Amino acid sequence: MGNDKFIELAGKKLSNEISSDEHDELQRCLANDASLREQYEALSTYWKHNDTAYTDNALSFQKIKSKIKAQEVTEPSTNITPGKKGTIYYLWRAAAAVVLIAGCAYLFYTKTVVSGHEIANTSPSTWQNKNTFVREKSAVVLSDGTRITLNSKSSLRYPTSFTGKTREVYLSGEAFFDVHKDHEHPFIIHTEKMNIKVLGTAFNVKSYPDDPSSETTLIRGAIEVTLDDRPSDRIILKPSEKLIVKKGSFTTVRKKQDKLSPATDSSAGTQYVLTSFTRLHQDDSAVLETSWTQNKLIFRDESFADLAIRMERWYGVNIKFKNDEMKKYRFTGTYEKETVTQALDALRITEDFHYKVKNSAIYIY
């Protein structure tokens, strides 16, 4: 069995999305291959592990491989009990499985996507386009029963009916997907920066052309992501995880503060970070990344510049700053029924700024 097929089966098994035939196939390959059993144990350990502050680049994968080798040949130090050695070893194996879980996974990419986002295996009858404007949301039900909710200023391209081996759609903007299960026909979403293969069901994708980063947030099930310029990398998300893809500079996670900050190395092009999705409060069921589907605009420690972009789509306005320093202000809060002026007045309680409304433009000074 090829490694790409094994990883697909393992992902479906861990997310409880595997069919009986696929389960039997996975058990056969695990029984006959010790190396695959080791990979599966590593991935299973990662799946159950609660620490979601992972980052990745090519250098980090090399470090992980070196760490694994060191764990294999080095005796445990005096301050590590014998029982912990195996735990550390498998956690590093798990990290390696996630960072580059299929070292030669290019096969999956070339089978489903070619350069320029041309579809290789799908033969749709005709294509449909669904577009939303500012302050507008729209729901689409595809021919297979998949339900997609589009956020404002978004565009979805999809076939009238699916006739090939895969079910493929194209997204620009933001959408929430609840994908109909069909183990024989994988569901794939293409965006500007990444391609998402569905191993589970419910997740959010945010990929606006003008935004500096793209995100996908998994609510339940499992998804597998490849990046356009790094097709050999395969990132598998488990529930409650979010993948952030950013061009031009590498971002990392400060675990305690749960913030993103730039790193010193920006030469590697497109990079990504894997973290957990955001709740406004620990005891709050509302998730920031999908709050728009409930007509809520939730933001947590967000810069004024980023919040302004979201407010423009939310209220259908154009926000302009006359002082760039104000773009650095940070806010936390929730909007639901507030008008744009009520929202700005609430922000002014915590930071000192003024605004002026002229037609559909708002000037911050």
Side-chain angles (χ1 to χ4, degrees), residues 237-273:
L237 273 68
K238 61 183 180 181
S240 302
E241 285 187 336
K242 177 172 69 173
L243 178 71
I244 304 173
V245 179
K246 188 173 182 180
K247 283 186 176 180
S249 62
F250 180 64
T251 58
T252 187
V253 172
R254 293 177 185 156
K255 184 176 177 183
K256 292 183 179 180
Q257 292 86 357
D258 196 24
K259 296 179 184 178
L260 297 176
S261 62
T264 55
D265 182 9
S266 60
S267 60
T270 300
Q271 298 288 342
Y272 56 87
V273 59

PDB file of all heavy atoms in Angstrom, residues 237-273:
ATOM      1  N   LEU A 237      -5.642  18.138  10.033  1.00  0.00           N
ATOM      2  CA  LEU A 237      -6.217  18.827  11.187  1.00  0.00           C
ATOM      3  C   LEU A 237      -7.175  17.905  11.916  1.00  0.00           C
ATOM      4  O   LEU A 237      -7.918  17.141  11.289  1.00  0.00           O
ATOM      5  CB  LEU A 237      -6.981  20.086  10.752  1.00  0.00           C
ATOM      6  CG  LEU A 237      -6.169  21.378  10.626  1.00  0.00           C
ATOM      7  CD1 LEU A 237      -5.195  21.284   9.461  1.00  0.00           C
ATOM      8  CD2 LEU A 237      -7.110  22.569  10.436  1.00  0.00           C
ATOM      9  N   LYS A 238      -7.147  17.997  13.242  1.00  0.00           N
ATOM     10  CA  LYS A 238      -8.118  17.300  14.062  1.00  0.00           C
ATOM     11  C   LYS A 238      -9.092  18.338  14.619  1.00  0.00           C
ATOM     12  O   LYS A 238      -8.850  19.548  14.516  1.00  0.00           O
ATOM     13  CB  LYS A 238      -7.417  16.534  15.182  1.00  0.00           C
ATOM     14  CG  LYS A 238      -6.625  17.397  16.144  1.00  0.00           C
ATOM     15  CD  LYS A 238      -5.906  16.541  17.179  1.00  0.00           C
ATOM     16  CE  LYS A 238      -5.109  17.387  18.156  1.00  0.00           C
ATOM     17  NZ  LYS A 238      -4.395  16.571  19.153  1.00  0.00           N
ATOM     18  N   PRO A 239     -10.222  17.928  15.196  1.00  0.00           N
ATOM     19  CA  PRO A 239     -11.230  18.885  15.667  1.00  0.00           C
ATOM     20  C   PRO A 239     -10.650  19.923  16.614  1.00  0.00           C
ATOM     21  O   PRO A 239      -9.765  19.634  17.423  1.00  0.00           O
ATOM     22  CB  PRO A 239     -12.247  17.987  16.372  1.00  0.00           C
ATOM     23  CG  PRO A 239     -12.143  16.687  15.657  1.00  0.00           C
ATOM     24  CD  PRO A 239     -10.688  16.535  15.333  1.00  0.00           C
ATOM     25  N   SER A 240     -11.148  21.144  16.495  1.00  0.00           N
ATOM     26  CA  SER A 240     -10.763  22.309  17.299  1.00  0.00           C
ATOM     27  C   SER A 240      -9.438  22.920  16.861  1.00  0.00           C
ATOM     28  O   SER A 240      -8.916  23.803  17.544  1.00  0.00           O
ATOM     29  CB  SER A 240     -10.700  21.985  18.802  1.00  0.00           C
ATOM     30  OG  SER A 240     -11.941  21.500  19.251  1.00  0.00           O
ATOM     31  N   GLU A 241      -8.904  22.486  15.730  1.00  0.00           N
ATOM     32  CA  GLU A 241      -7.652  23.063  15.245  1.00  0.00           C
ATOM     33  C   GLU A 241      -7.892  24.025  14.093  1.00  0.00           C
ATOM     34  O   GLU A 241      -8.862  23.909  13.340  1.00  0.00           O
ATOM     35  CB  GLU A 241      -6.683  21.973  14.809  1.00  0.00           C
ATOM     36  CG  GLU A 241      -6.045  21.245  15.970  1.00  0.00           C
ATOM     37  CD  GLU A 241      -4.964  20.297  15.525  1.00  0.00           C
ATOM     38  OE1 GLU A 241      -4.985  19.843  14.362  1.00  0.00           O
ATOM     39  OE2 GLU A 241      -4.095  19.998  16.360  1.00  0.00           O
ATOM     40  N   LYS A 242      -6.964  24.972  13.956  1.00  0.00           N
ATOM     41  CA  LYS A 242      -7.023  25.974  12.893  1.00  0.00           C
ATOM     42  C   LYS A 242      -5.663  26.050  12.209  1.00  0.00           C
ATOM     43  O   LYS A 242      -4.624  26.077  12.869  1.00  0.00           O
ATOM     44  CB  LYS A 242      -7.405  27.341  13.465  1.00  0.00           C
ATOM     45  CG  LYS A 242      -7.419  28.456  12.413  1.00  0.00           C
ATOM     46  CD  LYS A 242      -7.978  29.759  12.969  1.00  0.00           C
ATOM     47  CE  LYS A 242      -7.059  30.394  13.981  1.00  0.00           C
ATOM     48  NZ  LYS A 242      -7.521  31.736  14.385  1.00  0.00           N
ATOM     49  N   LEU A 243      -5.684  26.090  10.887  1.00  0.00           N
ATOM     50  CA  LEU A 243      -4.465  26.255  10.110  1.00  0.00           C
ATOM     51  C   LEU A 243      -4.452  27.648   9.502  1.00  0.00           C
ATOM     52  O   LEU A 243      -5.425  28.054   8.860  1.00  0.00           O
ATOM     53  CB  LEU A 243      -4.401  25.211   8.992  1.00  0.00           C
ATOM     54  CG  LEU A 243      -3.193  25.308   8.060  1.00  0.00           C
ATOM     55  CD1 LEU A 243      -1.919  24.883   8.780  1.00  0.00           C
ATOM     56  CD2 LEU A 243      -3.407  24.453   6.804  1.00  0.00           C
ATOM     57  N   ILE A 244      -3.364  28.393   9.731  1.00  0.00           N
ATOM     58  CA  ILE A 244      -3.205  29.735   9.182  1.00  0.00           C
ATOM     59  C   ILE A 244      -2.081  29.710   8.166  1.00  0.00           C
ATOM     60  O   ILE A 244      -0.955  29.295   8.483  1.00  0.00           O
ATOM     61  CB  ILE A 244      -2.885  30.758  10.287  1.00  0.00           C
ATOM     62  CG1 ILE A 244      -3.968  30.742  11.375  1.00  0.00           C
ATOM     63  CG2 ILE A 244      -2.758  32.167   9.696  1.00  0.00           C
ATOM     64  CD1 ILE A 244      -3.630  31.603  12.583  1.00  0.00           C
ATOM     65  N   VAL A 245      -2.357  30.119   6.945  1.00  0.00           N
ATOM     66  CA  VAL A 245      -1.364  30.147   5.877  1.00  0.00           C
ATOM     67  C   VAL A 245      -1.080  31.600   5.531  1.00  0.00           C
ATOM     68  O   VAL A 245      -2.000  32.371   5.258  1.00  0.00           O
ATOM     69  CB  VAL A 245      -1.868  29.392   4.628  1.00  0.00           C
ATOM     70  CG1 VAL A 245      -0.836  29.445   3.517  1.00  0.00           C
ATOM     71  CG2 VAL A 245      -2.196  27.949   4.982  1.00  0.00           C
ATOM     72  N   LYS A 246       0.200  31.963   5.538  1.00  0.00           N
ATOM     73  CA  LYS A 246       0.584  33.344   5.294  1.00  0.00           C
ATOM     74  C   LYS A 246       1.725  33.404   4.303  1.00  0.00           C
ATOM     75  O   LYS A 246       2.675  32.633   4.395  1.00  0.00           O
ATOM     76  CB  LYS A 246       0.987  34.031   6.605  1.00  0.00           C
ATOM     77  CG  LYS A 246       1.230  35.529   6.467  1.00  0.00           C
ATOM     78  CD  LYS A 246       1.460  36.162   7.831  1.00  0.00           C
ATOM     79  CE  LYS A 246       1.643  37.668   7.706  1.00  0.00           C
ATOM     80  NZ  LYS A 246       1.860  38.312   9.031  1.00  0.00           N
ATOM     81  N   LYS A 247       1.659  34.334   3.377  1.00  0.00           N
ATOM     82  CA  LYS A 247       2.714  34.492   2.393  1.00  0.00           C
ATOM     83  C   LYS A 247       3.782  35.460   2.876  1.00  0.00           C
ATOM     84  O   LYS A 247       3.500  36.401   3.599  1.00  0.00           O
ATOM     85  CB  LYS A 247       2.150  35.036   1.068  1.00  0.00           C
ATOM     86  CG  LYS A 247       1.425  33.995   0.227  1.00  0.00           C
ATOM     87  CD  LYS A 247       1.032  34.571  -1.105  1.00  0.00           C
ATOM     88  CE  LYS A 247       0.394  33.515  -1.997  1.00  0.00           C
ATOM     89  NZ  LYS A 247       0.009  34.062  -3.307  1.00  0.00           N
ATOM     90  N   GLY A 248       5.015  35.197   2.493  1.00  0.00           N
ATOM     91  CA  GLY A 248       6.084  36.183   2.641  1.00  0.00           C
ATOM     92  C   GLY A 248       6.819  36.172   3.950  1.00  0.00           C
ATOM     93  O   GLY A 248       7.976  36.535   4.007  1.00  0.00           O
ATOM     94  N   SER A 249       6.172  35.765   5.034  1.00  0.00           N
ATOM     95  CA  SER A 249       6.865  35.749   6.318  1.00  0.00           C
ATOM     96  C   SER A 249       6.309  34.641   7.183  1.00  0.00           C
ATOM     97  O   SER A 249       5.134  34.297   7.095  1.00  0.00           O
ATOM     98  CB  SER A 249       6.720  37.089   7.044  1.00  0.00           C
ATOM     99  OG  SER A 249       5.374  37.360   7.329  1.00  0.00           O
ATOM    100  N   PHE A 250       7.162  34.086   8.001  1.00  0.00           N
ATOM    101  CA  PHE A 250       6.765  32.966   8.852  1.00  0.00           C
ATOM    102  C   PHE A 250       6.115  33.476  10.124  1.00  0.00           C
ATOM    103  O   PHE A 250       6.558  34.454  10.694  1.00  0.00           O
ATOM    104  CB  PHE A 250       7.998  32.126   9.191  1.00  0.00           C
ATOM    105  CG  PHE A 250       7.689  30.947  10.058  1.00  0.00           C
ATOM    106  CD1 PHE A 250       6.868  29.927   9.612  1.00  0.00           C
ATOM    107  CD2 PHE A 250       8.212  30.862  11.330  1.00  0.00           C
ATOM    108  CE1 PHE A 250       6.591  28.837  10.409  1.00  0.00           C
ATOM    109  CE2 PHE A 250       7.945  29.774  12.143  1.00  0.00           C
ATOM    110  CZ  PHE A 250       7.138  28.759  11.680  1.00  0.00           C
ATOM    111  N   THR A 251       5.028  32.833  10.558  1.00  0.00           N
ATOM    112  CA  THR A 251       4.375  33.208  11.809  1.00  0.00           C
ATOM    113  C   THR A 251       4.453  32.056  12.778  1.00  0.00           C
ATOM    114  O   THR A 251       4.463  30.893  12.391  1.00  0.00           O
ATOM    115  CB  THR A 251       2.895  33.573  11.584  1.00  0.00           C
ATOM    116  OG1 THR A 251       2.235  32.459  10.989  1.00  0.00           O
ATOM    117  CG2 THR A 251       2.767  34.791  10.713  1.00  0.00           C
ATOM    118  N   THR A 252       4.506  32.351  14.031  1.00  0.00           N
ATOM    119  CA  THR A 252       4.598  31.321  15.052  1.00  0.00           C
ATOM    120  C   THR A 252       3.627  31.635  16.173  1.00  0.00           C
ATOM    121  O   THR A 252       3.006  32.683  16.183  1.00  0.00           O
ATOM    122  CB  THR A 252       6.040  31.215  15.592  1.00  0.00           C
ATOM    123  OG1 THR A 252       6.106  30.083  16.465  1.00  0.00           O
ATOM    124  CG2 THR A 252       6.439  32.452  16.359  1.00  0.00           C
ATOM    125  N   VAL A 253       3.478  30.719  17.099  1.00  0.00           N
ATOM    126  CA  VAL A 253       2.510  30.875  18.181  1.00  0.00           C
ATOM    127  C   VAL A 253       3.237  31.083  19.493  1.00  0.00           C
ATOM    128  O   VAL A 253       4.130  30.327  19.837  1.00  0.00           O
ATOM    129  CB  VAL A 253       1.599  29.634  18.283  1.00  0.00           C
ATOM    130  CG1 VAL A 253       0.740  29.717  19.528  1.00  0.00           C
ATOM    131  CG2 VAL A 253       0.723  29.510  17.067  1.00  0.00           C
ATOM    132  N   ARG A 254       2.861  32.128  20.214  1.00  0.00           N
ATOM    133  CA  ARG A 254       3.274  32.271  21.598  1.00  0.00           C
ATOM    134  C   ARG A 254       2.265  31.511  22.430  1.00  0.00           C
ATOM    135  O   ARG A 254       1.133  31.944  22.584  1.00  0.00           O
ATOM    136  CB  ARG A 254       3.284  33.745  22.002  1.00  0.00           C
ATOM    137  CG  ARG A 254       4.328  34.581  21.300  1.00  0.00           C
ATOM    138  CD  ARG A 254       4.183  36.029  21.739  1.00  0.00           C
ATOM    139  NE  ARG A 254       5.073  36.899  21.034  1.00  0.00           N
ATOM    140  CZ  ARG A 254       4.849  38.199  20.873  1.00  0.00           C
ATOM    141  NH1 ARG A 254       3.759  38.736  21.379  1.00  0.00           N
ATOM    142  NH2 ARG A 254       5.701  38.940  20.224  1.00  0.00           N
ATOM    143  N   LYS A 255       2.676  30.406  22.971  1.00  0.00           N
ATOM    144  CA  LYS A 255       1.726  29.466  23.568  1.00  0.00           C
ATOM    145  C   LYS A 255       0.913  30.092  24.691  1.00  0.00           C
ATOM    146  O   LYS A 255      -0.293  29.946  24.762  1.00  0.00           O
ATOM    147  CB  LYS A 255       2.483  28.247  24.077  1.00  0.00           C
ATOM    148  CG  LYS A 255       1.579  27.168  24.637  1.00  0.00           C
ATOM    149  CD  LYS A 255       2.401  25.961  25.025  1.00  0.00           C
ATOM    150  CE  LYS A 255       1.533  24.901  25.658  1.00  0.00           C
ATOM    151  NZ  LYS A 255       2.321  23.736  26.110  1.00  0.00           N
ATOM    152  N   LYS A 256       1.553  30.821  25.598  1.00  0.00           N
ATOM    153  CA  LYS A 256       0.839  31.341  26.754  1.00  0.00           C
ATOM    154  C   LYS A 256      -0.082  32.487  26.373  1.00  0.00           C
ATOM    155  O   LYS A 256      -1.204  32.592  26.833  1.00  0.00           O
ATOM    156  CB  LYS A 256       1.835  31.787  27.826  1.00  0.00           C
ATOM    157  CG  LYS A 256       2.605  30.634  28.454  1.00  0.00           C
ATOM    158  CD  LYS A 256       3.535  31.118  29.562  1.00  0.00           C
ATOM    159  CE  LYS A 256       4.274  29.950  30.208  1.00  0.00           C
ATOM    160  NZ  LYS A 256       5.191  30.415  31.284  1.00  0.00           N
ATOM    161  N   GLN A 257       0.424  33.388  25.512  1.00  0.00           N
ATOM    162  CA  GLN A 257      -0.396  34.550  25.156  1.00  0.00           C
ATOM    163  C   GLN A 257      -1.378  34.240  24.043  1.00  0.00           C
ATOM    164  O   GLN A 257      -2.312  34.983  23.793  1.00  0.00           O
ATOM    165  CB  GLN A 257       0.509  35.712  24.712  1.00  0.00           C
ATOM    166  CG  GLN A 257       1.357  36.293  25.825  1.00  0.00           C
ATOM    167  CD  GLN A 257       2.659  35.521  26.007  1.00  0.00           C
ATOM    168  OE1 GLN A 257       2.911  34.521  25.354  1.00  0.00           O
ATOM    169  NE2 GLN A 257       3.492  35.996  26.916  1.00  0.00           N
ATOM    170  N   ASP A 258      -1.140  33.106  23.321  1.00  0.00           N
ATOM    171  CA  ASP A 258      -2.015  32.726  22.226  1.00  0.00           C
ATOM    172  C   ASP A 258      -2.095  33.816  21.180  1.00  0.00           C
ATOM    173  O   ASP A 258      -3.159  34.151  20.687  1.00  0.00           O
ATOM    174  CB  ASP A 258      -3.420  32.369  22.737  1.00  0.00           C
ATOM    175  CG  ASP A 258      -4.214  31.615  21.673  1.00  0.00           C
ATOM    176  OD1 ASP A 258      -3.586  31.001  20.796  1.00  0.00           O
ATOM    177  OD2 ASP A 258      -5.440  31.676  21.731  1.00  0.00           O
ATOM    178  N   LYS A 259      -0.947  34.388  20.841  1.00  0.00           N
ATOM    179  CA  LYS A 259      -0.892  35.417  19.807  1.00  0.00           C
ATOM    180  C   LYS A 259       0.072  34.986  18.724  1.00  0.00           C
ATOM    181  O   LYS A 259       0.945  34.152  18.919  1.00  0.00           O
ATOM    182  CB  LYS A 259      -0.421  36.752  20.380  1.00  0.00           C
ATOM    183  CG  LYS A 259      -1.354  37.364  21.417  1.00  0.00           C
ATOM    184  CD  LYS A 259      -0.761  38.667  21.912  1.00  0.00           C
ATOM    185  CE  LYS A 259      -1.596  39.281  23.011  1.00  0.00           C
ATOM    186  NZ  LYS A 259      -1.001  40.517  23.531  1.00  0.00           N
ATOM    187  N   LEU A 260      -0.048  35.595  17.553  1.00  0.00           N
ATOM    188  CA  LEU A 260       0.874  35.348  16.469  1.00  0.00           C
ATOM    189  C   LEU A 260       1.895  36.468  16.426  1.00  0.00           C
ATOM    190  O   LEU A 260       1.573  37.627  16.614  1.00  0.00           O
ATOM    191  CB  LEU A 260       0.126  35.287  15.125  1.00  0.00           C
ATOM    192  CG  LEU A 260      -0.887  34.150  14.987  1.00  0.00           C
ATOM    193  CD1 LEU A 260      -1.614  34.283  13.669  1.00  0.00           C
ATOM    194  CD2 LEU A 260      -0.199  32.809  15.082  1.00  0.00           C
ATOM    195  N   SER A 261       3.146  36.119  16.146  1.00  0.00           N
ATOM    196  CA  SER A 261       4.176  37.135  16.029  1.00  0.00           C
ATOM    197  C   SER A 261       5.148  36.739  14.938  1.00  0.00           C
ATOM    198  O   SER A 261       5.373  35.551  14.704  1.00  0.00           O
ATOM    199  CB  SER A 261       4.926  37.291  17.363  1.00  0.00           C
ATOM    200  OG  SER A 261       5.562  36.083  17.694  1.00  0.00           O
ATOM    201  N   PRO A 262       5.749  37.703  14.225  1.00  0.00           N
ATOM    202  CA  PRO A 262       6.649  37.364  13.131  1.00  0.00           C
ATOM    203  C   PRO A 262       7.949  36.774  13.643  1.00  0.00           C
ATOM    204  O   PRO A 262       8.452  37.139  14.695  1.00  0.00           O
ATOM    205  CB  PRO A 262       6.883  38.720  12.452  1.00  0.00           C
ATOM    206  CG  PRO A 262       6.636  39.719  13.528  1.00  0.00           C
ATOM    207  CD  PRO A 262       5.567  39.140  14.400  1.00  0.00           C
ATOM    208  N   ALA A 263       8.481  35.836  12.892  1.00  0.00           N
ATOM    209  CA  ALA A 263       9.780  35.269  13.214  1.00  0.00           C
ATOM    210  C   ALA A 263      10.850  35.944  12.378  1.00  0.00           C
ATOM    211  O   ALA A 263      10.568  36.737  11.475  1.00  0.00           O
ATOM    212  CB  ALA A 263       9.775  33.761  12.966  1.00  0.00           C
ATOM    213  N   THR A 264      12.099  35.617  12.657  1.00  0.00           N
ATOM    214  CA  THR A 264      13.194  36.322  11.996  1.00  0.00           C
ATOM    215  C   THR A 264      13.414  35.822  10.580  1.00  0.00           C
ATOM    216  O   THR A 264      13.891  36.556   9.732  1.00  0.00           O
ATOM    217  CB  THR A 264      14.488  36.146  12.796  1.00  0.00           C
ATOM    218  OG1 THR A 264      14.739  34.748  12.980  1.00  0.00           O
ATOM    219  CG2 THR A 264      14.350  36.809  14.161  1.00  0.00           C
ATOM    220  N   ASP A 265      13.096  34.550  10.294  1.00  0.00           N
ATOM    221  CA  ASP A 265      13.355  33.990   8.972  1.00  0.00           C
ATOM    222  C   ASP A 265      12.138  34.166   8.080  1.00  0.00           C
ATOM    223  O   ASP A 265      11.104  33.575   8.296  1.00  0.00           O
ATOM    224  CB  ASP A 265      13.686  32.496   9.107  1.00  0.00           C
ATOM    225  CG  ASP A 265      14.015  31.868   7.766  1.00  0.00           C
ATOM    226  OD1 ASP A 265      14.151  32.631   6.791  1.00  0.00           O
ATOM    227  OD2 ASP A 265      14.139  30.636   7.709  1.00  0.00           O
ATOM    228  N   SER A 266      12.255  34.972   7.044  1.00  0.00           N
ATOM    229  CA  SER A 266      11.126  35.207   6.134  1.00  0.00           C
ATOM    230  C   SER A 266      11.491  34.821   4.712  1.00  0.00           C
ATOM    231  O   SER A 266      10.903  35.315   3.762  1.00  0.00           O
ATOM    232  CB  SER A 266      10.709  36.689   6.180  1.00  0.00           C
ATOM    233  OG  SER A 266      11.793  37.511   5.784  1.00  0.00           O
ATOM    234  N   SER A 267      12.477  33.937   4.540  1.00  0.00           N
ATOM    235  CA  SER A 267      12.964  33.614   3.206  1.00  0.00           C
ATOM    236  C   SER A 267      12.304  32.390   2.596  1.00  0.00           C
ATOM    237  O   SER A 267      12.587  32.028   1.475  1.00  0.00           O
ATOM    238  CB  SER A 267      14.482  33.369   3.269  1.00  0.00           C
ATOM    239  OG  SER A 267      14.769  32.299   4.153  1.00  0.00           O
ATOM    240  N   ALA A 268      11.448  31.729   3.329  1.00  0.00           N
ATOM    241  CA  ALA A 268      10.926  30.447   2.876  1.00  0.00           C
ATOM    242  C   ALA A 268       9.629  30.554   2.091  1.00  0.00           C
ATOM    243  O   ALA A 268       9.077  29.548   1.695  1.00  0.00           O
ATOM    244  CB  ALA A 268      10.720  29.524   4.075  1.00  0.00           C
ATOM    245  N   GLY A 269       9.117  31.743   1.825  1.00  0.00           N
ATOM    246  CA  GLY A 269       7.878  31.889   1.075  1.00  0.00           C
ATOM    247  C   GLY A 269       6.671  31.572   1.929  1.00  0.00           C
ATOM    248  O   GLY A 269       6.607  31.952   3.083  1.00  0.00           O
ATOM    249  N   THR A 270       5.697  30.850   1.314  1.00  0.00           N
ATOM    250  CA  THR A 270       4.482  30.518   2.040  1.00  0.00           C
ATOM    251  C   THR A 270       4.792  29.617   3.228  1.00  0.00           C
ATOM    252  O   THR A 270       5.449  28.607   3.100  1.00  0.00           O
ATOM    253  CB  THR A 270       3.490  29.812   1.105  1.00  0.00           C
ATOM    254  OG1 THR A 270       3.172  30.671   0.023  1.00  0.00           O
ATOM    255  CG2 THR A 270       2.212  29.463   1.852  1.00  0.00           C
ATOM    256  N   GLN A 271       4.287  30.004   4.411  1.00  0.00           N
ATOM    257  CA  GLN A 271       4.483  29.214   5.614  1.00  0.00           C
ATOM    258  C   GLN A 271       3.137  29.063   6.313  1.00  0.00           C
ATOM    259  O   GLN A 271       2.163  29.697   5.939  1.00  0.00           O
ATOM    260  CB  GLN A 271       5.494  29.897   6.553  1.00  0.00           C
ATOM    261  CG  GLN A 271       6.888  30.048   5.963  1.00  0.00           C
ATOM    262  CD  GLN A 271       7.619  28.716   5.867  1.00  0.00           C
ATOM    263  OE1 GLN A 271       7.245  27.750   6.522  1.00  0.00           O
ATOM    264  NE2 GLN A 271       8.650  28.674   5.052  1.00  0.00           N
ATOM    265  N   TYR A 272       3.108  28.206   7.321  1.00  0.00           N
ATOM    266  CA  TYR A 272       1.839  27.999   8.002  1.00  0.00           C
ATOM    267  C   TYR A 272       2.062  27.711   9.470  1.00  0.00           C
ATOM    268  O   TYR A 272       3.153  27.375   9.909  1.00  0.00           O
ATOM    269  CB  TYR A 272       1.046  26.863   7.359  1.00  0.00           C
ATOM    270  CG  TYR A 272       1.748  25.536   7.274  1.00  0.00           C
ATOM    271  CD1 TYR A 272       1.703  24.624   8.317  1.00  0.00           C
ATOM    272  CD2 TYR A 272       2.438  25.176   6.128  1.00  0.00           C
ATOM    273  CE1 TYR A 272       2.327  23.408   8.241  1.00  0.00           C
ATOM    274  CE2 TYR A 272       3.073  23.953   6.029  1.00  0.00           C
ATOM    275  CZ  TYR A 272       3.013  23.063   7.078  1.00  0.00           C
ATOM    276  OH  TYR A 272       3.637  21.849   6.990  1.00  0.00           O
ATOM    277  N   VAL A 273       0.977  27.886  10.228  1.00  0.00           N
ATOM    278  CA  VAL A 273       1.004  27.597  11.658  1.00  0.00           C
ATOM    279  C   VAL A 273      -0.272  26.858  12.017  1.00  0.00           C
ATOM    280  O   VAL A 273      -1.337  27.141  11.472  1.00  0.00           O
ATOM    281  CB  VAL A 273       1.153  28.887  12.500  1.00  0.00           C
ATOM    282  CG1 VAL A 273       0.031  29.854  12.235  1.00  0.00           C
ATOM    283  CG2 VAL A 273       1.201  28.576  13.983  1.00  0.00           C
TER     284      VAL A 273
END
